[in-house]
Amino acid sequence: MEGMETRVLMAVCILLGLVSVGVATPGTATFYKPHQPSDCHGVKEPGPMVAAASDSLWSNGAICGKKFNVTCIGVPPGTGEKFPCKGSVIVTIVDRCASPRCETTLELSRPAFNKIVNPKLVQIIIDYKM
């Protein structure tokens, strides 16, 4: 019986090793007005909870349609806000936020931005993960 317990324990350990743990990545976010046609979906309406990815995430459009869980974790120093964050939002990447204009990791649609932070702010510090 001891050999069977060892094999079961080993199998469980292997399975746990195969499960990937989603680790959040720090970044920054601001808001934008999604345009039509979008860089990913053309003229198809993508919905209100969308975002544009910076060049560092864009990967020649491979990121199109991917969903990100974005969590507000703070604001840049000097904004005068103590802690305006209101949680997380799931967004779908539908656009590219191209350099040099883009100075942020993600540009969120206004509804997505407003869901996680005080709408009077312009830029926030985030954690994000797919």
Side-chain angles (χ1 to χ4, degrees):
M1 193 64 163
E2 188 176 306
M4 177 66 126
E5 289 173 16
T6 303
R7 283 187 287 226
V8 169
L9 182 59
M10 220 157 112
V12 168
C13 289
I14 290 170
L15 285 175
L16 287 175
L18 295 175
V19 175
S20 73
V21 176
V23 177
T25 304
T28 58
T30 189
F31 59 88
Y32 83 120
K33 183 178 184 328
H35 58 276
Q36 292 291 334
S38 76
D39 293 325
C40 297
H41 294 101
V43 294
K44 178 182 164 196
E45 176 57 46
M49 299 304 185
V50 296
S54 64
D55 285 339
S56 64
L57 296 173
W58 184 246
S59 189
N60 291 324
I63 200 80
C64 282
K66 302 287 187 204
K67 294 194 181 298
F68 280 77
N69 185 344
V70 181
T71 303
C72 174
I73 60 170
V75 294
T79 61
E81 291 286 324
K82 296 252 187 256
F83 195 76
C85 297
K86 301 188 279 187
S88 299
V89 65
I90 295 175
V91 296
T92 304
I93 302 298
V94 298
D95 281 314
R96 177 181 180 201
C97 176
S99 296
R101 178 191 64 81
C102 188
E103 296 180 8
T104 187
T105 310
L106 294 171
E107 285 189 328
L108 307 177
S109 63
R110 192 49 129 154
F113 190 83
N114 290 356
K115 183 173 179 178
I116 63 172
V117 72
N118 180 334
K120 72 179 184 178
L121 294 172
V122 176
Q123 188 175 37
I124 58 174
I125 300 168
I126 60 168
D127 274 344
Y128 65 95
K129 62 183 173 181
M130 273 201 287

